Structure formats: structure tokens, C-alpha cells
Amino acid sequence: MRTPLVVIALGLAAAACSGDPPVTPPTDAGAPVDAYRPVAASVEQVQAYEGQQHFVTSLYASGLDLTDATVIAENPDGPLEVLNVLCNAVRCGVELRIRDAYINTGIPVPAAFESHNNFLRLTSRDGVVRQALVTVWPVDALESTAMVSVGVHDTLIAASATADQETLVHAAPIGGPVRWFVNGGVTFAGTFDVSVSGSTPLVGGFAGGAAGVRGDGTGGGQGALGGAGGGGGGALEVGQSGTGADGSGVGGTGGPVSGDTFGSCELDGTDTTCGGSGGGGSLGAGGAGGGTLVFMALEPMDFSNARLVAHGGDGTNGGGGGAGGNIVIVAPSWTPPASIDVAGGAGGSTAGGAHGGTGSLGHIRIDIPGVRYEGAFHGPAVSLAGVDFVTRAESVRLTGTAEPNTMIRFSPYMNMTDEVRVTSDSTGAFVADVPLARGLNRIRVTANTSVGNIRSFTGNAFEFGEQQPIGAFIDIASIPASE
């Protein structure tokens, strides 16, 4: 059984030697030494990850006319598959698919030397060869055999994910929120459950309060005295207040709405506990808040028959129920799951007839172009269907959906010079014509919401931060016919 891959550290490895290749390799005592490699071409984007289906870069070759040049993978059986090439006299734009070509080890790949150097061969029309380095990081393909009954936690990055209907993935009692980032596609038909039982939290949830004590977190319900029921945990809504028994006490107040109303915490790698606040207790403990699940893919996601569950814990002996947890789903398109369930936990009852309050529903965030899921918050989701990642055009039209009447910002990171701002309409739809500079354009997309700037996670590459992806890029190479 393979263990799913966890966090990947970042680094760039570069190796290129200059010098024209000799006709006959030099020898030493009759033994040939390695032939010199061609002169290196300059590469705008050199770091790729297994599973990326639309890796885009731009190549230059000093002093060489690239009109009608060709670009091929040096190793046709390696991870680089050339999908599209456009060249002019100055540069070539290249779109690649990064195959899952390296062995799935099931262990972290933490150091730069774990990456693999791969090369593109750039050949001018008069036969001059240049070599371009693309460094590929191997990441595991997740399969059913690697997931069954495994208590998961923290961040992992994968090339792809496949699980049948018999697969059960559940959260561990330790570690940070479950955040899965998949460079390729997802076919998941099983059950992913980050629910809790009782007052002990799992990944991403707050603990329930002890008897008579307020629950943890901003949405924790109040404890109660005199045998009354504790308040339920709050998250999407205020938790239900507890009730007394035969006039013997006043029930605890239901927890307030969690401070992380729209799920931005789930995407911040510095946060280990997000929403899903635990309910306060009375004579017994309150229920813990449900756990956190983030499931993102750069390619289509098929959740046919899948169940995604993040229940809050039930209170005991008058304790309030915990709020439901947090589920964030991001993909360019999907086949929806059979259910997404973030129900709050039930309040417990005492022998004297007091009841703890029910926990609130948790948070759901769905960032999929055109999808409006009931009860969900929506960050900016850009549709890349029909977009040419290598183009001769000087602008690109990007469409998508977000929360209604929200400002969407298309910000320059590489080459773009001007930020473009548009406002989504009453349905959440937006359209933006974004100018492209020559060469590689790397575009960040954010939405200005009531809780601050929300990054988009739909694109053709993840942007990596300290520990995990912090958003997505849209990479497009503009190669005009002449410069």
C-alpha cells in the first residue's frame, strides 16, 4: 500500500553547458567521454510538476532566427509531451503536457536534487540546435489502494486521483486540515469523511467545551449551569441555544457565526484550525466542530456517486452540538457528487429533560465555472475552455463566475503591464478582455469580497507559497508573427 504524498518543497535546478558539439567526441585512452550538449536556450518558465496538462513556457535563442523553428522533447518517452508550438524570429511559445513518468514512491520529495532535468530540443530551419531545460518534480498518482482506511491530514500534491465506490477516506485525529491539490484530473466515487464523533476534534475542527465550559473557536457555544443544555456551535449560522429542564436553569447561548464565514482560512497554510466551531457543554461535553476538506484539481473532476461529509460532533448529557465542518471544491468542470454534507451535530439530553442546542451548518465553497451550489460561497472561477495557451493574439477573453456584483481583478505577475478589473453581474458571471505582452504572460485572478481578496484556484498552474499552493496562475504565451 502506498501512502499519499505530502508537501513538496520548491526549488529550481538548472544545468546547461555551452560550446559547439564536436564532430567526433574527444576520447581518453580509447574511452569516449560524454558529448557536449548544445548551447542552452533561455526558458521563461522552467519548473513543472507531473500531471500538469497545459504547462506553458517561452524559449529564446540569442543570435538565432527562430522563424519556422521546431521544438521536440529530447526524450520522447520521458515526461515532456509537446502539444503546441508557435515561433517567430525572436522566440517560440511551447505548450506541454507533463506525463506521470517517474515512479510513485509514496514519500515526500523535499529537496531540489529530487527533481529531474528534462530537455527540449529547439532546431532552427537551417539546422542549428539549442537545448532548453525543463525541471520536472515527481508527485504521486493517488489511487484507491493508497487511500482505503488511511487517516489523512495536512497538504498533499498529486499528479492525478482515482478512487472507486468502495474507497473510504477519513480524517486523522492529528495534523492540519486536509488539503489535496491535483495537477491533473480526478475520478473519485468513494466517500471522503472528515466528520467528528463526540468532543474530540479531527483535522481542521475545534474541540467541544467541557461540562459547563464554552466551546473552542469564534463560533463556540456557551456552556450552561444548573443542569441546562449548552449552546450549539456556530459556523454558517448562529448555533441553536440550549434549553433548561423544569425551570432549573437557563440554556447556554448558541455560538456566533464563525469569523471565517466564507472559508478563506481553509486555503491559508498557516491556519491549522478553521471554522467548524465546537459547541459549549453543560453537564456533559459539547460536540467538536467538523473537520476541513479542500479538494482542488486543475483538470475536470468526476465525483459521480461520491459522498463528501464533514459533520459536527454530537453533544453528550446536555452538551451542545458542534458546527459542521468546511468543504472546498475547485475544478474547471465537474460531475457533482451524490452529496455534500456539512450538518451540525445534535445536542445531547439530560435525565432532567434539558437539551443542548444543535450545531450550525458548516461552510461549503464551490469554485467551478457556471456552477451555483445551494448554500455555497463562490470564489472567482475562470473557464479555460477554448482558451489558446499559445497564441499570436495580443489579448485573451476570459470568462467565469464568482459571487454576484463582485469586482474581479486580473493582475500581472509576469509580463502583463496593466491590471484589468471587471464586475460580475447579478448572476455572478463575468467577462474580461485581458491584454497580453510578448512572451509568457502569467495572470493572477482575485475577487474583492466583503471578507477581503479571494484568490482564484482555477488556472493551468498552481502558485506555490511557503507550504502549499496559494492560488492558481493562468499562463498564456503570446507569440506575435513579428516583433
Side-chain angles (χ1 to χ4, degrees), residues 66-296:
L66 298 181
T67 305
D68 298 327
T70 61
V71 179
I72 64 171
E74 183 179 72
N75 177 9
D77 297 322
L80 305 185
E81 178 185 354
V82 177
L83 301 180
N84 193 14
V85 178
L86 283 179
C87 298
N88 58 24
V90 177
R91 73 187 86 226
C92 290
V94 183
E95 178 186 359
L96 302 171
R97 182 170 76 91
I98 312 300
R99 300 187 186 104
D100 185 7
Y102 298 118
I103 187 170
N104 291 322
T105 62
I107 60 174
V109 186
F113 59 74
E114 297 287 358
S115 61
H116 297 260
N117 289 346
N118 297 269
F119 297 92
L120 297 171
R121 294 183 72 86
L122 171 65
T123 306
S124 71
R125 62 183 173 184
D126 54 358
V128 179
V129 176
R130 295 289 184 262
Q131 181 176 258
L133 169 69
V134 176
T135 300
V136 175
W137 287 83
V139 291
D140 276 7
L142 302 177
E143 300 172 352
S144 294
T145 54
M147 301 184 208
V148 177
S149 298
V150 173
V152 297
H153 57 88
D154 294 314
T155 297
L156 66 82
I157 303 165
S160 60
T162 305
D164 60 28
Q165 200 164 352
E166 303 303 317
T167 302
L168 170 62
V169 183
H170 60 84
I174 58 172
V178 178
R179 300 176 172 118
W180 283 15
F181 299 89
V182 184
N183 290 315
V186 171
T187 301
F188 191 100
T191 298
F192 210 131
D193 194 341
V194 294
S195 300
V196 295
S197 176
S199 60
T200 302
L202 292 180
V203 292
F206 286 102
V213 178
R214 182 186 183 277
D216 286 348
T218 56
Q222 293 293 335
L225 302 175
L236 183 66
E237 303 168 338
V238 175
Q240 185 182 42
S241 294
T243 62
D246 303 326
S248 59
V250 178
T253 303
V257 173
S258 169
D260 183 45
T261 307
F262 297 127
S264 58
C265 167
E266 287 88 322
L267 305 178
D268 184 344
T270 64
D271 288 314
T272 58
T273 310
C274 307
S277 306
S282 58
L283 295 178
T292 292
L293 167 63
V294 176
F295 210 145
M296 297 188 173

Side-chain angles (χ1 to χ4, degrees), residues 402-448:
E403 288 293 290
N405 305 312
T406 299
M407 178 185 291
I408 315 297
R409 304 168 64 181
F410 299 83
S411 304
Y413 177 78
M414 185 181 293
N415 279 359
M416 276 181 62
T417 56
D418 298 315
E419 182 177 88
V420 174
R421 301 183 182 186
V422 299
T423 300
S424 60
D425 65 19
S426 59
T427 70
F430 60 81
V431 178
D433 290 311
V434 180
L436 300 174
R438 294 166 180 174
L440 182 64
N441 294 262
R442 173 157 275 190
I443 306 166
R444 286 189 179 115
V445 182
T446 57
N448 283 356

